[in-house]
Amino acid sequence: MRIVAEELNYVYSEKSKKLAVHALNGVNLTIEAGDFFGIIGKTGSGKSTFVQHLNGLIPTDSKHGKLTVGEFVLSNKKCDYKALRAKVGMVFQYPEYQLFAETVFEDVEFGLKSFYPNLTKEEKEVMVKTAIETVGLNYEEIKDKSPFDLSGGQKRRVAIAGVIVSKPEILVLDEPVAGLDPQGKKEFISLLHTLHKTTVKTIIIVSHDMNLVAENCNKIAVFCDGKVAKVGTPKEVFTDYENIKKTGLDLPLIAFLTQKLQEKGIEISTNLTLENFIKEVFKKHEEVKAKQREGGNR
Amino acid sequence: MKDVSFGQYYPTQSFVHKMDARVKILLIIAYIVGVFLVASYHFLGFGACLLFVIIATIFSNVPFSKVLKSIKGILFIIIFSAIIQIFFNKSGKVIWWIITDEGLLNAGFIVARITLIVLGATLLTLTTSPVEIADGIESLMSPLKYIKFPVHEFALIMSIALRFIPTLLDEIDRIIKAQKARGADFESGNLFKRAKALVPVLIPLLISSFRRADELADAMDSRCYAGSKNRTRYKKMHLTYRDLLGFILTAGLITGVVFLNGFYVLLVI
């Protein structure tokens, strides 16, 4: 499903003149099916408001621009939000705090109950099992446990299983690795890539963590003051140093190093992953050495 | 969710804002007693109470619309009690169908009473910050210390509860959104179904409240908080001429109400 936003506007407390806050000021953005999309921006840039539009948690109407997600026209009043929410899964910051049921199974099953009330018990069981196994947990071992007895990382996985159980085509994650230790973070990112390869077509990450988006997303949108300041590949976005500075963001580590090297007159072309960067630096090093040798020989 | 803010502190400079919180609490209690003193059907007494609220509002620099908004929150209760009075009061003369003159009078009486009490109470919360109210109550209750009642702790519990209302509202908003994204439906179905739909909101809320309480307790412990012993205050409360004026006005109100109770009887005779 393709997401297209045209001149999307949103104002908090629109009716009150004093308290009105323009969160979105004409957002134009297209997210293709299959993207691993990153949305970055300072606090208050409108990125959270924007993603909450995607599954109708913040309803919009035709007066505030146009928003379509696949065949759903959200700016149309008759939009079926329930069907939409089954297709657009949303994982909020610290999703483990939304667990409530007595067992892991019941918690994961929650979404199915309301999205697809006509499923048989067996069908539901299969779907829950698939979801729990997709997030890398042992179904038999965990299904009857209380979600509150699990570790933090496991809780987060269960919460995500509860979202992907309804087989969404788009998965939106708000600060997905906040509060995880480095190892947990690594595992979680690889889980996202597995999801992207297997079940969920489009993944959208909202984050403050520049390294996370630079290394994992194929496309990035930079939000600033309720507008999209820049869209492009990580390389396009993070080599536009001036623009990044203007939006009040930091460069990811690799982009920062590349910039520093550039200032010293060393041009390195990288796609902003650590591996690639190291490879390129070594290549440059070899080149320079070779040149010196040549110079020495002459 | 943010609409629940009626009666929230309205920060400004005014005569009433500068009054001592303890005095304001006492005066509001006296005012409520005054409202209750108005004898049946002596509506002039309510006129006096209304005048009191209007004067207090003028002196508080709070826009009238803010004060009146508080009624919106209890509109349901007002209408409900009026309907019960109108339709279920069997005494008095029947005017039309089952509606009696006494029922109508009673309804008007109750509506006036509830409205005036809420207006007064709102004026207190609009002009006094939660911290001041808690401090005021603590100071007013301090005589209870002699019977070993934990006054300071009680006031602390109250101010913590008040402090966390907006935090909890934010939290509720967040959890509702998260569960909505998972297909939860809070808007359709009968009352029973809707109540059941709240379980996925209430349980996470309860759990996070406990977590927050634990964290808060740890934070207070690590700052060596030890209750009321030898604790000094940043803001000391003292009485000023404003409080004296407040006392005089309220005393005037109560005398007025008592007087009008009798006066109305004279008029009827």
Side-chain angles (χ1 to χ4, degrees):
Chain A
M1 300 204 303
R2 193 165 179 240
I3 299 168
V4 184
E6 286 167 35
E7 287 303 319
L8 192 64
N9 277 293
Y10 186 75
V11 187
Y12 282 103
S13 343
E14 195 167 19
K15 278 173 201 154
S16 145
K17 267 180 205 152
K18 257 193 213 159
L19 298 170
V21 180
H22 287 260
L24 298 182
N25 271 324
V27 169
N28 290 299
L29 186 62
T30 306
I31 301 175
E32 300 291 344
D35 272 347
F36 200 117
F37 203 92
I39 293 181
I40 53 176
K42 283 196 297 199
T43 314
S45 58
K47 52 192 194 321
S48 281
T49 310
F50 175 71
V51 292
Q52 285 180 36
H53 275 80
L54 298 181
N55 68 349
L57 283 179
I58 297 180
T60 179
D61 57 39
S62 47
K63 276 181 233 153
H64 294 82
K66 202 178 169 204
L67 178 64
T68 55
V69 176
E71 68 271 32
F72 297 95
V73 183
L74 275 84
S75 28
N76 190 335
K77 272 230 164 104
K78 283 172 204 146
C79 181
D80 181 357
Y81 283 132
K82 217 170 191 178
L84 171 73
R85 283 173 194 159
K87 291 284 159 212
V88 183
M90 178 129 355
V91 179
F92 282 88
Q93 211 168 343
Y94 296 107
E96 53 271 33
Y97 295 150
Q98 74 196 36
L99 300 172
F100 71 96
E102 274 174 50
T103 66
V104 169
F105 182 88
E106 277 174 53
D107 208 289
V108 176
E109 189 197 15
F110 178 71
L112 286 182
K113 271 192 204 159
S114 41
F115 285 138
Y116 311 112
N118 301 325
L119 289 178
T120 63
K121 213 181 153 197
E122 287 75 32
E123 284 172 316
K124 274 189 204 163
E125 232 178 274
V126 172
M127 285 173 88
V128 171
K129 190 173 179 220
T130 323
I132 290 181
E133 280 169 356
T134 314
V135 295
L137 294 172
N138 186 329
Y139 174 71
E140 291 302 329
E141 211 173 84
I142 212 169
K143 69 173 171 143
D144 295 322
K145 273 194 186 167
S146 160
F148 304 112
D149 290 340
L150 305 176
S151 74
Q154 282 176 320
K155 273 187 200 169
R156 191 167 290 195
R157 279 160 191 266
V158 169
I160 289 183
V163 175
I164 61 165
V165 72
S166 58
K167 306 222 151 118
E169 288 185 30
I170 298 172
L171 187 64
V172 184
L173 300 109
D174 193 351
E175 291 291 354
V177 294
L180 290 182
D181 59 52
Q183 183 60 28
K185 200 168 152 182
K186 227 171 164 180
E187 282 171 18
F188 197 86
I189 291 167
S190 81
L191 166 66
L192 290 183
H193 282 288
T194 321
L195 283 177
H196 190 225
K197 268 179 221 140
T198 53
T199 42
V200 188
K201 267 197 201 131
T202 317
I203 287 192
I204 301 172
I205 292 182
V206 181
S207 186
H208 280 114
D209 187 342
M210 298 301 135
N211 294 314
L212 174 76
V213 282
E215 284 176 29
N216 297 290
C217 299
N218 68 331
K219 237 177 160 191
I220 294 175
V222 184
F223 271 65
C224 187
D225 297 332
K227 279 186 189 140
V228 177
K230 177 135 187 142
V231 194
T233 62
K235 199 173 163 184
E236 283 164 2
V237 170
F238 289 122
T239 45
D240 190 355
Y241 305 122
E242 285 301 305
N243 235 327
I244 282 288
K245 222 179 222 172
K246 251 188 247 159
T247 55
L249 294 173
D250 287 329
L251 287 174
L253 182 64
I254 308 290
F256 176 74
L257 291 175
T258 323
Q259 188 202 10
K260 286 284 159 215
L261 288 172
Q262 195 184 32
E263 278 169 14
K264 301 253 184 246
I266 304 166
E267 288 287 344
I268 281 182
S269 160
T270 148
N271 65 6
L272 296 180
T273 61
L274 183 63
E275 269 170 48
N276 180 271
F277 177 74
I278 292 172
K279 220 170 78 190
E280 294 294 328
V281 168
F282 270 99
K283 225 161 86 186
K284 199 82 189 174
H285 183 66
E286 292 298 324
E287 269 174 40
V288 172
K289 260 212 293 205
K291 252 189 206 159
Q292 278 172 348
R293 238 179 276 132
E294 254 175 51
N297 287 347
R298 229 177 260 162
Chain B
M1 274 297 158
K2 303 253 155 70
D3 308 334
V4 205
S5 61
F6 71 85
Q8 234 173 36
Y9 183 56
Y10 185 87
T12 176
Q13 295 282 334
S14 83
F15 186 89
V16 181
H17 280 76
K18 281 185 189 149
M19 277 170 76
D20 192 312
R22 294 169 295 182
V23 173
K24 277 191 268 186
I25 294 168
L26 285 180
L27 293 189
I28 285 299
I29 293 171
Y31 162 81
I32 291 173
V33 170
V35 174
F36 274 105
L37 273 180
V38 176
S40 293
Y41 317 141
H42 290 57
F43 285 94
L44 272 179
F46 287 138
C49 296
L50 187 65
L51 189 70
F52 178 82
V53 171
I54 291 173
I55 293 173
T57 312
I58 291 170
F59 272 105
S60 71
N61 258 349
V62 178
F64 277 95
S65 60
K66 273 266 174 204
V67 183
L68 287 175
K69 239 188 203 154
S70 62
I71 298 174
K72 235 167 96 185
I74 53 147
L75 203 58
F76 176 75
I77 300 171
I78 293 181
I79 293 172
F80 184 72
S81 38
I83 285 175
I84 288 203
Q85 284 302 327
I86 291 174
F87 290 102
F88 295 96
N89 197 321
K90 295 233 162 61
S91 49
K93 253 195 310 193
V94 175
I95 299 176
W96 176 71
W97 192 34
I98 53 164
I99 298 172
T100 65
D101 59 346
E102 214 166 284
L104 279 179
L105 277 174
N106 264 333
F109 192 72
I110 282 186
V111 167
R113 198 178 249 177
I114 300 178
T115 315
L116 281 169
I117 288 174
V118 170
L119 286 180
T122 310
L123 209 54
L124 173 70
T125 52
L126 277 170
T127 58
T128 322
S129 73
V131 177
E132 281 175 334
I133 293 182
D135 281 354
I137 289 179
E138 181 180 351
S139 167
L140 285 175
M141 283 171 65
S142 54
L144 289 176
K145 270 184 209 156
Y146 296 110
I147 56 162
K148 296 264 162 72
F149 184 82
V151 175
H152 178 78
E153 283 72 13
F154 182 78
L156 180 75
I157 290 170
M158 225 174 53
S159 43
I160 289 176
L162 288 169
R163 156 67 187 78
F164 274 94
I165 289 173
T167 314
L168 287 182
L169 286 178
D170 276 351
E171 182 91 11
I172 291 174
D173 194 48
R174 218 174 55 85
I175 299 172
I176 283 185
K177 273 184 177 161
Q179 306 297 24
K180 260 188 180 172
R182 291 212 281 163
D185 188 353
F186 303 104
E187 276 114 32
S188 63
N190 56 29
L191 202 66
F192 181 70
K193 243 184 165 175
R194 280 191 204 195
K196 223 182 137 194
L198 284 178
V199 170
V201 177
L202 293 179
I203 290 179
L205 185 70
L206 202 67
I207 289 168
S208 74
S209 303
F210 276 117
R211 199 187 64 241
R212 237 183 259 285
D214 265 348
E215 282 168 5
L216 184 67
D218 283 346
M220 287 166 77
D221 253 352
S222 60
R223 284 167 179 75
C224 302
Y225 179 84
S228 55
K229 260 181 221 157
N230 306 327
R231 218 172 144 74
T232 54
R233 290 191 177 282
Y234 171 54
K235 274 187 184 161
K236 281 226 160 117
M237 292 184 275
H238 6 225
L239 300 176
T240 59
Y241 73 97
R242 298 187 188 86
D243 304 303
L244 186 66
L245 276 175
F247 268 123
I248 293 172
L249 188 64
T250 317
L253 168 79
I254 293 189
T255 350
V257 167
V258 173
F259 177 69
L260 284 169
N261 277 347
F263 190 60
Y264 201 77
V265 175
L266 288 180
L267 270 186
V268 172
I269 296 166

